[in-house]
Structure formats: structure tokens, C-alpha cells
Amino acid sequence: MQIANNNTVARIAAVVAGLGLVAMSFATFTPAVKAQTADDLQAQITALLAQIAALQGGSTTATASVTFTRDLTIGSTGADVTALQNWLIAKGHTIPAGATGYFGTQTQAALAAYQAANGIAPAAGYFGPITRAKVNATAGTGTGTGTGTGTGSNDLKGGEASLGDVEFRDGEEDEVEEGGTAQVAELEFDVDDADINIDRLDLSFELTSDGTDEDEPWEAFDTITLLNEDGDELASEDVSDEDDWLDEDGPIYTFRFTNLDYVVREGDTAVIIVEVEAQDGVLDDASDTWVLSVENNGVRGTDGEGIQQYTDSGSDDISFDLVEEGADDELKVRSSTEDPDSTTLQVDDRRSDWYTIFAFDLEADEDGGDIELDSASLELTTVGADVNEVVNDLELVIDGTTIDDWAYGTPNGGNTTASTTFDIDGDVTVDAGDRVTVEVRAQFKATGGNFDGDGTETIRVRALNGAFEGEGADDLSSTGSATGDTHTLQASGITVDNMDKDEFSAKSTSVQSAADYGEFEVTVAITAFEEDAFISSTSSAFTYQIEDSTGAATSTGTRSATVSSDASIENGFYRIDEGDTEEFTFKVTLTPAAGGYDYRLQLLTIVFNDEADYATTQNWTATPANEYETGFTFIAN
């Protein structure tokens, strides 16, 4: 029998060689029919190779059990496609061409047959989260099939994972020279409840000060590399081709990294370091400032249940400078951990207390000299009233020194956006190598007239490129930028604390039937100030929206909502006495009309009143909105 097999192998090999010669002749002499004929021949060659492997008692690839970590469909290629094909063949589903590593119509048909036989609907031959979870459960774990350059270990433990406490911070360096490389940012988040394989990351770039002819990142950067905390490379991509970016219209441009294969165990913290390499000769001026961010759904991974999980947007933007080769930028504006989160600032019919509404850092280059500050210019933006109708007085506190000599500059874009200039006049010196914190403090005018303090007015401050002027070895301007959170001005009512999202949750059943549903839960701490507050004990007091995986609101499916609290109830309303704080839990159950998607809950407003008769109402609005949303959960249905 072995002799017969060897003879057959020899004959098939001869045929393969002959087909190869025929394919070469077509490629040389008949270009008009090259594509179709060559494809047919290649399919035959692939099938014959699979037969050779079978006759030799093996296969063209290893058949070790694996855990699948990504969606596969027509056109997919790679080791995981080969593993899926071998698995389907072993289950008795025919793929005439064998395990080729290419997901074609034969693989689609075999997969559809498996789905139909195992009650997976629709049996369309698409290898998505539902089928992947089923296959992983029956295939066991083994060597892994990831296509990235990470750990290569896909033996995921546990059930449904959650990604939280997202932090996006400055890297080791805050500038990169033309033609140079620098680690400019670090992304960190916790992994809880199960292991997860991080397979996708979206990075967004925006130019905020322009020293180039073009503002597109593919004109400024050659390569972006992702590293883990040990310095091992997760991915490295050439980003100089416009077609490789997700969006080309700006002003924010996003680059997507896929197939990272970065396994993070339950209870560990994921760390992804962003390293950029700049192109040569792109600057027309001393420097550019780029803002880098990770948006909602910016990180995706697959957990032990085969469910895709995403990070929320609980991360700050960071900025870095692209500078001329050999340039010595001596004074840099950087974001600060002291910057206050969005909050409600109390105002009334008298001048308000002083509030710190923004904080950022100034850093002097250690290779330069000490820098004596001359002036600072900051941008103030208000909503609901003009800047000069809201702000009574301002001051800067720089490393403990108060600067209160200021004046409005020329309004920028109307009276709701205006610059304000502080005369420092050498009163503050930043020593070489030092990093000092700058606080922006504000006192607000009395309510009345055009300023109501009804919760509709807000304020935000930014320090843009060139915000500080100073003197070192030469006259200089600062580089870099920082933006504060938006604060609400209100005379009375409620403040709402998201409790750092610790009490937010999103989970779903996973029986893969029409009975599947998702549960979303948000717990917030509500404080009443200057008056008692009353909130309906029915869910009508809380308005919300369900969002799909793109972040867009959707009206899908059947939903029910409840609200609960330990606060006392009066006339059907929860009562919060002035100065007290009560916790409220808002829960929504969703049975979607169509399954197989990720969903999350975003809290929008809370309706309240200062009287139990509820004759008139006021609204608290979630600001910023992304701080009052759950993570995503996949609902199979």
C-alpha cells in the first residue's frame, strides 16, 4: 500500500509540475486570459498539494488545537484560516481544495454546513463571534493562531472580560525631530473578570499648530510602532500612504492597527507604548504640535467567551511636538494630573468663590538654561453667555506664585471665545530641567441679566502653542498645548458624580437565541446644593440612549428601565436634602431586534425639581457625555 501511495504521489507531483509550466506559459504568452486561467490552475495545484499531504499521512499545516481570535470571511488568509479548515475537515465537512490558508467559497460552504448542523443562525458561512465561541469551546486550547507579533499565547481563561480605568498619558518624550523617532504616548487599562487578546487599536491624530505645508499625518510621519511594557514590538506600520488611513477629510485622522495578538491576563494591566518616526524635511517653521487620542471603541479585544470587548473613552488627549532637526525647544506646555475633571461650579447673586478651572504643566529643557517668563495668553470659551458676562476675575498660580495682572485680548470667533493675556514680567523663572504646575483660577460674576446660572452656561480653558513668552539664552515661545475639561455654572440644583465609573456595568446573556438580552447599569452620586432636590422614583427622570458599536444612537429592540435609591420618597419622588448626597442606580434591559452586535448605554440627562409637587422641572446634562456611558457588551440574539 505504501508503494502504491508513493507512486500516486509521484504522479500527482508530476502533474503539479506540468500545471506549473502551463501556468508559466500563460503568464508569458497569453496575458489577455492570464487572470482567470492562472486562478483556475492555482486552485488545481492547491487541491493536488492537499492530496499529496493526505496521501503522505499528514497535512500542509499543523492540526494542533487552537483558540480562534478574529472574524474570518471570504478573502481572509493566514494560519488561523488553515487551522479552521483543518478543523472543519476533521469534523467531516468537505473542502475539496484542502487546508489552503485561503477562505474561499469552499470554506464558506463547509462552515455553513457546520453552522446548520449545530443550530447556529444564520448559517451563512461567516466565522464571527457566535461561531467562534462555539468552535473554541469544542476545539480546546493550544498553540494559538494569532497573525500579529505579540505573545502568541491564546489560551484565554475565564468568561466575559471587562476593560476599565483607561489612561492615555505622555510618553518618555514630548517631541520628535524631523527624521527621528520618539516614544510619545502610553495607553494603559485594566483587564478584569477574564483574559483577553487585544487585537485592534485606533490612534487619532490632529494638527493644532501648523508649520508645514500640509496638515495630514501621512505627510509628517513614516512609521508608527506599538510596544508592550517590556519593549517588545506588538506592531509596526508604514503610515506614509494616505490610503492606509481610515479617514482622509480631517481635521482628525485615524490609523488602525489590527492583528496585534497581545494577550493580557485577568487582573493585569495592559500597557501599549506609541512610538512615532517622523519624515525628513517636513517643517516650514520651528515646530508643529500634534494631538494624539484614543477614541471610544479605540481598543478591541476578544475574551475567553469569544466576545469582543472595547475600551471606553475615559482617556485624555496628549500632545507632542514635531521639531526641526537639532532644534532646542526650551519651554513646553504639557498636560497635568492636577487638571480638575468636569464639574458643576456654584454661582449665585453675588460674586462667586475662586475656583481652579484648569491646570497644566510647564517644562524647561534640561539641556537649555533657566527661563524667565514674560507673559502668558490663554483661550477661554463659554457656552450660553459671553466670556465677559460670566468671568469677573482671573489669576494664574505658577509654581506657587500668583499672577493677577491680566486683560482680555481680541475675541476669537465671537465673544464666547476670547483670549486673555497675563503680564508675568519676569516674576516667575522656570529652572532648566524643572516641570512646574500652572493653575488657572476664576471668580464668576453674580447671576442675573444675561448670566442666569441655570446650568446651561459652561466654561473651558486652553493653553495653545506659543501660549508663553520668555527669555533664556534667546527670546522664546512655548511649544505644545493642553485643554481643560468643560465646567458647568449653576446657582442651585444638583451635581452628579460618575464615581469614576466604578459602578457602571454592561453584560449580556449568551445562549445564542432570541431570548438573549443585555443589562446596563449606571450608579451615580447626586448632591443637592442651595436647595432640596426631588427626582421621580420612576425611570422617567433619567433620559438615555442605546448606542451601537459605531457610537451612534439606535432605537433597536425592546427595552425596559428602572431606577432605585436609598433616598427617602415623598409624593412619589426621591428627596435629597440640601447638602446631602444620595446614590442612584439606573438600569436598562435591552432585547435587540437584531442580534450579533455590540451595545452600550449612555446617560444623557436627569430631570429634577426643588419642590415635591414637581410643578416645574430642571435638567442636569451629562458633561462630557462620554464620562456617563457604560462599556460595550455583545448581544448574540
Side-chain angles (χ1 to χ4, degrees):
M1 182 64 183
Q2 182 62 44
I3 295 174
N5 278 347
N6 288 340
N7 289 337
T8 302
V9 169
R11 288 196 298 272
I12 292 176
V15 172
V16 170
L19 287 170
L21 291 173
V22 172
M24 291 174 62
S25 67
F26 271 112
T28 304
F29 299 111
T30 57
V33 295
K34 173 183 174 183
Q36 181 177 355
T37 305
D39 287 347
D40 293 342
L41 289 170
Q42 184 59 53
Q44 295 180 53
I45 291 170
T46 302
L48 290 169
L49 287 172
Q51 292 181 44
I52 291 172
L55 288 168
Q56 289 175 329
S59 68
T60 56
T61 56
T63 58
S65 59
V66 298
T67 296
F68 297 94
T69 61
R70 64 170 179 145
D71 297 344
L72 302 174
T73 189
I74 294 291
S76 298
T77 60
D80 47 0
V81 175
T82 303
L84 176 62
Q85 291 167 330
N86 281 324
W87 189 86
L88 288 167
I89 292 170
K91 292 294 183 181
H93 301 286
T94 302
I95 302 177
T100 64
Y102 174 78
F103 194 120
T105 56
Q106 294 179 4
T107 305
Q108 182 185 50
L111 183 60
Y114 164 77
Q115 291 170 327
N118 288 272
I120 300 175
Y126 171 72
F127 191 69
I130 298 173
T131 307
R132 187 168 62 248
K134 182 79 171 180
V135 171
N136 283 336
T138 57
T141 59
T143 58
T145 61
T147 57
T149 57
T151 65
S153 178
N154 293 323
D155 52 333
L156 303 180
K157 303 294 194 301
E160 186 173 347
S162 61
L163 310 180
D165 293 334
V166 183
E167 182 180 358
F168 196 49
R169 57 176 178 262
D170 295 323
E172 293 182 353
E173 301 169 79
D174 62 355
E175 66 180 34
V176 53
E177 291 187 355
E178 292 175 289
T181 301
Q183 294 180 6
V184 298
E186 291 185 7
L187 174 67
E188 181 178 293
F189 54 90
D190 294 337
V191 174
D192 296 314
D193 303 322
D195 300 342
I196 196 162
N197 189 327
I198 305 301
D199 56 24
R200 193 177 80 186
L201 170 65
D202 292 345
L203 286 177
S204 297
F205 289 74
E206 181 181 11
L207 183 65
T208 59
S209 66
D210 190 2
T212 66
D213 289 330
E214 304 291 342
D215 62 357
E216 293 87 357
W218 52 84
E219 299 286 350
F221 306 108
D222 270 331
T223 305
I224 303 175
T225 300
L226 305 181
L227 309 167
N228 66 16
E229 62 181 331
D230 296 324
D232 299 326
E233 183 178 297
L234 300 174
S236 185
E237 297 288 347
D238 183 340
V239 297
S240 60
D241 187 343
E242 177 180 1
D243 294 337
D244 292 335
W245 290 75
L246 294 184
D247 36 36
E248 302 172 7
D249 298 327
I252 299 176
Y253 304 91
T254 302
F255 191 89
R256 172 166 289 175
F257 291 86
T258 58
N259 299 326
L260 297 182
D261 192 21
Y262 175 30
V263 173
V264 185
R265 302 301 179 186
E266 177 184 359
D268 288 348
T269 298
V271 177
I272 300 177
I273 300 168
V274 181
E275 181 180 88
V276 299
E277 179 186 2
Q279 297 183 24
D280 285 318
V282 297
L283 292 178
D284 293 337
D285 203 347
S287 69
D288 281 348
T289 297
W290 287 88
V291 173
L292 184 59
S293 60
V294 178
E295 306 292 340
N296 276 338
N297 311 328
V299 177
R300 186 188 73 180
T302 304
D303 61 22
E305 290 286 337
I307 298 173
Q308 291 179 345
Q309 305 291 350
Y310 300 83
T311 56
D312 58 31
S313 62
S315 59
D316 295 323
D317 299 341
I318 67 99
S319 64
F320 66 93
D321 296 321
L322 175 57
V323 301
E324 292 177 328
E325 186 176 0
D328 187 16
D329 289 324
E330 296 180 313
L331 186 64
K332 310 175 186 70
V333 169
R334 307 191 67 174
S335 58
S336 172
T337 57
E338 300 299 318
D339 185 35
D341 293 333
S342 294
T343 189
T344 298
L345 305 176
Q346 185 177 345
V347 293
D348 53 30
D349 57 2
R350 297 161 295 177
R351 292 177 184 175
S352 75
D353 294 334
W354 283 91
Y355 296 105
T356 297
I357 58 175
F358 181 34
F360 57 95
D361 288 348
L362 273 179
E363 184 176 36
D365 197 305
E366 63 182 356
D367 296 326
D370 298 344
I371 299 171
E372 188 176 279
L373 301 180
D374 290 335
S375 63
S377 181
L378 303 176
E379 180 188 85
L380 278 69
T381 300
T382 54
V383 172
D386 291 346
V387 174
N388 59 3
E389 295 172 339
V390 170
V391 175
N392 181 70
D393 203 357
L394 290 169
E395 63 183 25
L396 291 184
V397 180
I398 308 175
D399 197 25
T401 300
T402 299
I403 307 297
D404 56 11
D405 186 0
W406 68 280
Y408 284 120
T410 303
N412 177 18
N415 291 327
T416 58
T417 300
S419 63
T420 178
T421 300
F422 292 83
D423 186 4
I424 304 174
D425 196 26
D427 290 343
V428 177
T429 297
V430 182
D431 295 337
D434 279 1
R435 180 167 175 165
V436 300
T437 298
V438 181
E439 292 183 54
V440 181
R441 291 168 49 80
Q443 183 188 61
F444 299 103
K445 292 183 177 181
T447 57
N450 294 321
F451 173 38
D452 296 326
D454 59 359
T456 62
E457 292 112 350
T458 64
I459 189 167
R460 185 194 68 180
V461 187
R462 297 200 297 172
L464 302 178
N465 193 64
F468 284 81
E469 300 288 338
E471 297 178 9
D474 299 298
D475 292 343
L476 57 86
S477 297
S478 63
T479 60
S481 63
T483 300
D485 284 346
T486 299
H487 304 290
T488 301
L489 306 177
Q490 194 163 336
S492 61
I494 62 173
T495 62
V496 180
D497 184 357
N498 67 3
M499 303 171 67
D500 294 326
K501 296 189 177 182
D502 289 343
E503 303 300 323
F504 290 13
S505 67
K507 58 185 179 181
S508 60
T509 59
S510 56
V511 298
Q512 298 177 2
S513 75
D516 277 344
Y517 59 90
E519 289 184 337
F520 307 88
E521 190 172 292
V522 172
T523 299
V524 294
I526 302 178
T527 302
F529 66 94
E530 291 300 307
E531 62 186 15
D532 299 336
F534 294 85
I535 296 174
S536 175
S537 58
T538 70
S539 61
S540 61
F542 290 73
T543 67
Y544 69 97
Q545 65 185 20
I546 298 293
E547 297 180 342
D548 62 22
S549 59
T550 68
T554 176
S555 57
T556 181
T558 303
R559 58 188 77 182
S560 60
T562 60
V563 62
S564 59
S565 176
D566 289 335
S568 60
I569 294 181
E570 183 177 320
N571 295 333
F573 298 96
Y574 289 113
R575 175 178 180 140
I576 310 173
D577 292 332
E578 177 186 353
D580 286 352
T581 300
E582 300 285 353
E583 288 189 10
F584 286 75
T585 297
F586 179 64
K587 182 183 294 185
V588 174
T589 300
L590 169 69
T591 303
Y597 299 97
D598 292 290
Y599 298 99
R600 73 176 172 206
L601 166 72
Q602 183 179 87
L603 181 62
L604 299 177
T605 65
I606 299 176
V607 182
F608 68 97
N609 194 16
D610 60 354
E611 296 291 342
D613 61 13
Y614 230 54
T616 59
T617 61
Q618 303 176 62
N619 286 339
W620 169 89
T621 301
T623 305
N626 58 27
E627 288 300 313
Y628 293 87
E629 63 191 15
T630 70
F632 283 98
T633 187
F634 179 82
I635 305 179
N637 196 1

